[in-house]
Each structure stands twice: as structure tokens, then as C-alpha cells.
């Protein structure tokens, strides 16, 4: 505790004041380094320091707006009171010095008082008092009041307390600012977390640094699971190269909107639309902020409309071109036959009739594409295959079974593959293996016929592709591929050993219709 002593020179007293003040500032600075410092800890440090420096018996410190004693408010209400000189008790002191202390607020003069009142009700006798408001500009932030200095208050005491009051005002202002910032952030966070769109940010390497909770509705992932992950890990594998290229363009300052597919935690594929803004610091690319939303339903409608248009165009082509051509051939052959009686012309006409019948059957199957979203339920794959193979005179062995969410159109998938094996592959026996592999129903349809050359394996599912003497409309396998796509599955073809062809169908056994899983193959999980 600092003791005022006449034997100590004024310069020594000044040095002691400065040392004490610097020590206090160091203590306060240590507290201010804490993320959320306590204003009460700051008060204790300042008040104890003020009492120690001035040799005061007591005092108090308060900030405007808190509960308990608020000197400034009391002074404003009791400005005309004058009980201090008569009673001289502590609580009356606040009721009596209002005019004088308010003048101190306005910077007119300083508050130095001495009296020797009678002590009543165990209250302190006030011998002298020192007061300094804590101001931030013209705003009152609080005050420091000290009483009963042993040696009486000096000009130097007042200057020191004034500096402590200024420091106190700064800490109060900072605390208020921090609280307002926290409230603002909380308000912003609540707003961000309640909107339907997904807000996110990634750094320059694509690492997710922020994403709001709405992402769980879209992807199944909690934000905590995604933070620190590279966003490319969520991208549907067929879209990875496209998204990487777009990210590179964004890093060059070219923001914009892109649409691509992501994989959910459950392995589903969903379409998203992402609006991205590049972020730069001192001219250096440091990341991307963006907004994304689920556009799966919109994409489904767009794809269905596109497929519907394609199917209608194809049906129109079959009617106006292929069947019309066949009818022209039939009509011409019959007219010439009536004149020449050439039986080869009848064979040609009959062949054209068969092709027309096949085209009409293909049109029926094409029509099933238009309604491939209807009538879904869990079917036994073995039962469907058994019902189809009964229509063919061929040795067919079936092993295994699994249930898959499909509709009646799936029978045309099996029918086309079996018919191709018999008609085009000239196979006399077929082996079909059905197996559930990690929730994927794998159907292997193997024939022992002529096989499919490697150079055309990637073309056999194209519309209108024909091969060999028995090639007719070229629509059968095209329809098969379209239906498998609709079921959210995949189909591939490979050679059988020692000869023949194997068609491999893979369908999910999740019990979800295409409306639920959309397109699922191609997800990482």
C-alpha cells in the first residue's frame, strides 16, 4: 500500500504513482487478453489499485447499466438534494453532492471534500472524497469514488484516478462491443441456420471451413462430419472432373452458378445448384463462399421431359419411317408377285411383316418407358425370369433370387436379353445367376452362342444399332438400357467362357423406387 510521507520528495511520489499505474495497466492487459474477460475482475483490479495509490480507506466502482448502485443515475434524480453537510453519512453523500459532481462530469472543477459528521447506524464517517467519472467521448460509462485518504487527496491523486477511470471506460466499451458482436453473430448464425439454402465456405484447397446445419437435410451429414473434408469427396464420380475444372475457374476470379451431383451419406445421388463467389486477400485466392440448394426434383422433371421427348420422337420415326418403309416393301412385293408368281417376293414380304411386328412390339416397350415410374413394388427377380423364359424353347438354368423394387416393365428387360441370346447369339442354353452382394442384386445372364465382338460392345445399347444378319430394329437393347437407368441400376456386357456373352445387371435392393433414389450408382460409398 502506498503511504504518503512528507519526507518523500514530490518526484519520488510521482514515480511511485507511475509505477503503481503501470502495474495496474499490466494487470488489466493480462485480463483483456482473455477471449471473454470478466468486467468484475477488471473492477477489482482498478478499485484496489486506486485505493492503494491514494491511500484511501474505502470506495466503490460501478458501470452504467448494471444492477446495484449507479451513482450517475442517482445524481441525475437527486440533483437538488443537499443533505450531505447536515448528515454526512455514506448513503446521503450520494444524495447531496449531485450538483457539484455533475459539474465534475461537465469538466468545470474537481471534487475534493472534507467534513467530520457524526457516525450513525454503523456507517462510515466521510472525511474526504474523490470522484472521477469514466467517460468515453461524451458518453458516461461508469465512475470511481474513493473516500478517506489518510493524507488528503492531492492533484496527483486526481490525475491518477482520472487515468484509471479512462482505462475503466475503455474496458467497459470493449466489453459492450464484444457483447454486441456476440449478439450480432448469434443473430446472424440463427438466421443462417434457419434458412433453407445451404451456406458454405471452403479454403483455397477445397477444404470445407463452414457449412450450416441445413446440409444434414440434403446430404445426411452433420456439419461436424463435413468440416475439414475436401468437398470433392462428396461429388458424384462422373461429375468430379467437371467440378474440379469449375473450381479452378473460380480461383481465377470467375464466379458463377454451376449444377452437379453429390452423393449423400446414404449413397443416394442428388442434384445441387451452387452459386460461388471467389474470396481474395491481398490479391491472393484464399477460398470460396457460396450458396447451394437441392434441385433434384427439378432435374428429375427436366430429365423425364427430355426422355419423353426422345421416346416420342423415336416412336414417330418408327411409325413414319420404318413401318411405312416395310409396308411399301410388302405392297410392292405383292403387286409384282401377282404378275410373276416369284415366291422369293413372298418371302421378302413376310420378312418385312415380321420386322413390322417387331417394331410394333418395340413401340409397346417404348411406351413402357413413358410409364416406368408407375406401379413399383418389391418383385422376386427369379419369378419374373421364370415367367419370361417359359415363352422360349431353350434350356434355361436359374440359380438364386433376390427382391428388388421394380415394376412390370422389368419383364421386357429380361425378355429382350433372352431373345437376343437365342435369336442373335444362336445359343441353345442360358444360365442365370442371381445374387445379393452388399445390398446390390446382381443378375448374370450368360449364353453360349456366337458372342459379341469387342469392337461393338460399347455400341450395342445405342438407339438403332444393328449387327449381323438377324439385326432388325436395333431398339431392343436400347430399351433395356433406358429401363435399367430408370431403375437406378446399371448394365454391362462381357465375354462368357469358353464362348458366348454375359449381360450383368445390378440393381439396388434398398426398397426405394427411382423417385426416391434417382440415380445411385457412381457414389463412392
Amino acid at each position: 500500500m502506498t503511504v504518503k510521507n512528507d519526507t518523500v520528495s514530490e518526484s519520488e511520489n510521482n514515480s511511485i504513482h507511475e509505477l503503481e499505474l503501470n502495474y495496474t495497466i499490466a494487470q488489466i492487459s493480462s485480463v483483456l487478453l482473455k477471449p471473454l474477460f470478466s468486467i468484475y475482475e477488471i473492477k477489482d483490479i482498478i478499485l484496489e489499485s486506486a485505493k492503494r495509490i491514494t491511500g484511501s480507506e474505502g470506495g466503490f466502482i460501478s458501470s452504467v447499466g448494471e444492477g446495484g448502485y449507479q451513482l450517475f443515475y442517482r445524481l441525475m434524480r437527486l440533483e437538488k438534494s443537499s443533505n450531505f453537510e447536515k448528515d454526512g453519512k455514506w448513503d446521503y453523500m450520494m444524495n447531496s453532492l449531485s450538483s457539484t459532481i455533475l459539474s465534475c462530469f461537465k469538466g468545470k472543477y474537481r471534487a475534493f471534500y472534507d467534513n467530520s459528521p457524526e457516525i450513525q447506524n454503523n456507517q462510515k464517517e466521510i472525511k474526504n472524497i474523490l470522484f472521477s467519472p469514466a467517460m468515453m467521448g461524451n458518453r458516461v460509462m461508469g465512475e470511481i469514488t474513493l473516500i478517506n485518504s489518510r493524507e488528503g487527496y492531492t492533484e496527483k491523486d486526481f490525475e491518477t484516478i482520472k487515468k484509471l477511470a479512462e482505462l475503466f471506460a475503455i474496458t467497459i466499451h470493449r466489453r459492450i462491443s464484444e457483447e454486441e458482436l456476440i449478439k450480432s453473430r448469434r443473430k446472424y448464425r440463427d438466421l443462417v441456420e434457419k434458412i433453407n439454402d445451404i451456406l458454405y465456405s471452403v479454403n483455397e484447397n477445397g477444404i470445407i471451413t463452414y457449412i450450416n446445419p441445413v446440409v444434414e437435410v440434403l446430404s445426411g451429414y452433420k456439419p461436424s462430419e463435413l468440416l475439414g473434408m475436401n468437398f470433392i469427396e462428396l461429388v458424384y464420380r462422373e461429375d468430379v472432373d467437371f467440378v474440379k475444372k469449375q473450381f479452378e475457374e473460380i480461383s481465377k476470379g470467375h464466379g458463377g452458378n454451376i449444377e452437379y451431383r453429390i452423393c449423400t451419406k446414404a449413397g443416394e445421388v442428388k442434384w445441387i445448384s451452387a452459386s460461388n463467389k471467389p474470396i481474395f486477400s491481398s490479391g491472393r485466392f484464399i477460398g470460396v463462399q457460396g450458396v447451394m440448394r437441392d434441385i433434384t426434383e427439378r432435374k428429375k422433371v427436366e430429365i423425364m421431359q427430355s426422355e419423353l421427348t426422345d421416346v416420342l420422337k423415336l416412336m414417330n420415326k418408327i411409325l413414319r419411317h420404318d413401318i411405312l418403309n416395310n409396308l411399301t416393301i410388302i405392297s410392292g412385293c405383292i403387286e409384282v408377285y401377282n404378275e410373276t408368281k416369284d415366291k422369293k417376293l413372298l418371302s421378302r414380304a413376310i420378312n418385312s411383316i415380321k420386322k413390322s411386328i417387331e417394331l410394333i412390339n418395340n413401340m409397346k416397350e417404348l411406351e413402357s418407358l413413358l410409364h416406368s415410374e408407375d406401379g413399383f413394388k418389391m418383385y422376386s427377380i427369379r419369378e419374373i425370369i421364370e415367367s419370361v423364359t417359359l415363352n422360349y424353347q431353350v434350356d434355361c438354368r436359374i440359380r438364386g433370387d433376390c427382391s428388388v423394387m421394380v415394376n412390370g416393365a422389368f419383364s421386357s428387360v429380361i425378355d429382350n436379353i433372352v431373345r437376343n441370346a437365342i435369336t442373335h447369339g444362336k445359343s441353345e442354353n442360358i444360365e442365370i445367376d442371381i445374387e445379393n452382394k452388399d445390398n446390390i442384386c446382381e443378375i448374370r445372364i450368360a449364353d453360349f452362342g456366337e458372342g459379341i465382338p469387342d469392337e461393338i460392345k460399347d455400341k450395342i445399347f445405342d438407339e438403332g444399332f444393328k449387327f449381323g444378319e438377324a439385326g432388325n430394329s436395333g431398339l431392343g437393347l436400347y430399351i433395356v438400357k433406358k429401363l435399367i437407368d430408370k431403375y437406378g441400376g446399371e448394365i454391362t456386357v462381357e465375354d462368357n467362357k469358353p464362348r458366348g456373352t454375359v449381360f450383368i445387371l445390378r440393381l439396388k435392393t434398398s426398397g426405394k423406387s427411382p423417385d426416391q433414389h434417382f440415380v445411385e450408382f457412381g457414389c463412392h460409398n
Side-chain angles (χ1 to χ4, degrees), residues 106-382:
K106 300 171 184 176
K108 291 183 178 180
Y109 52 87
R110 298 162 185 167
F112 295 88
Y113 302 96
D114 291 284
N115 76 319
S116 299
E118 180 182 357
I119 300 176
Q120 296 179 5
N121 301 326
N122 296 319
Q123 297 186 54
K124 288 183 180 295
E125 176 186 5
I126 300 176
K127 299 175 182 178
N128 46 50
I129 183 170
L130 174 60
F131 168 86
S132 181
M135 306 287 292
M136 177 62 70
N138 294 323
R139 182 180 178 186
V140 179
M141 309 299 293
E143 47 72 38
I144 301 175
T145 300
L146 301 171
I147 63 166
N148 300 347
S149 170
R150 289 184 302 276
E151 304 295 332
Y153 293 112
T154 66
E155 188 80 11
K156 187 62 180 177
D157 290 335
F158 184 81
E159 292 298 331
T160 301
I161 299 308
K162 183 179 179 182
K163 289 179 181 179
L164 288 175
E166 290 173 354
L167 185 59
F168 183 44
I170 292 171
T171 59
I172 296 172
H173 183 265
R174 175 177 159 181
R175 181 61 177 170
I176 292 172
S177 298
E178 286 186 353
E179 289 175 349
E180 289 176 350
L181 180 60
I182 290 170
K183 289 179 182 178
S184 177
R185 285 176 175 171
R186 187 179 295 119
K187 182 178 179 180
Y188 172 74
R189 188 182 300 113
D190 290 343
L191 176 64
V192 166
E193 293 178 354
K194 290 177 182 178
I195 63 175
N196 293 325
D197 291 340
I198 299 169
L199 305 185
Y200 62 91
S201 61
V202 301
N203 67 13
E204 67 273 21
N205 298 314
I207 303 300
I208 299 171
T209 56
Y210 172 78
I211 194 159
N212 65 340
V214 183
V215 71
E216 188 173 358
V217 178
L218 171 67
S219 69
Y221 290 101
K222 297 180 183 296
S224 58
E225 296 177 276
L226 297 177
L227 292 178
M229 178 190 295
N230 194 305
F231 82 99
I232 291 294
E233 296 179 42
L234 297 173
V235 179
Y236 180 73
R237 68 184 179 197
E238 291 184 6
D239 294 347
V240 166
D241 290 341
F242 165 74
V243 175
K244 283 183 175 179
K245 184 177 179 181
Q246 293 300 311
F247 188 77
E248 184 178 347
E249 289 298 312
I250 294 169
S251 70
K252 297 175 183 177
H254 308 304
N257 190 75
I258 60 174
E259 295 179 356
Y260 58 95
R261 291 164 288 182
I262 65 167
C263 292
T264 69
K265 191 174 184 178
E268 300 173 356
V269 172
K270 291 191 177 181
W271 277 93
I272 63 162
S273 172
S275 179
N276 301 291
K277 178 185 177 183
I279 306 300
F280 292 89
S281 177
S282 301
R284 186 176 69 87
F285 173 68
I286 61 170
V288 176
Q289 290 179 341
V291 181
M292 72 169 66
R293 62 179 53 182
D294 185 356
I295 59 168
T296 304
E297 292 302 318
R298 192 195 84 194
K299 276 292 182 181
K300 283 169 59 179
V301 172
E302 290 177 359
I303 291 171
M304 288 174 62
Q305 288 176 339
S306 176
E307 290 177 347
L308 175 61
T309 300
D310 291 342
V311 169
L312 291 176
K313 285 181 179 178
L314 183 55
M315 292 176 71
N316 186 54
K317 173 181 172 293
I318 292 171
L319 285 171
R320 298 184 60 182
H321 182 266
D322 297 347
I323 292 180
L324 183 60
N325 283 349
N326 287 337
L327 291 175
T328 301
I329 292 172
I330 293 168
S331 176
C333 287
I334 291 174
E335 286 182 8
V336 175
Y337 173 78
N338 288 332
E339 296 178 1
T340 64
K341 305 301 181 181
D342 185 351
K343 291 185 177 181
K344 291 181 179 179
L345 294 172
L346 286 179
S347 297
R348 187 179 178 188
I350 292 171
N351 187 49
S352 294
I353 291 171
K354 289 179 179 180
K355 286 184 177 181
S356 295
I357 292 172
E358 182 182 359
L359 285 169
I360 292 169
N361 288 331
N362 286 153
M363 287 180 64
K364 290 180 180 179
E365 292 173 349
L366 282 170
E367 187 180 359
S368 70
L369 283 175
L370 301 179
H371 305 286
S372 60
E373 305 292 337
D374 302 331
F376 276 87
K377 65 179 183 179
M378 296 298 290
Y379 278 91
S380 163
I381 296 299
R382 185 186 185 98

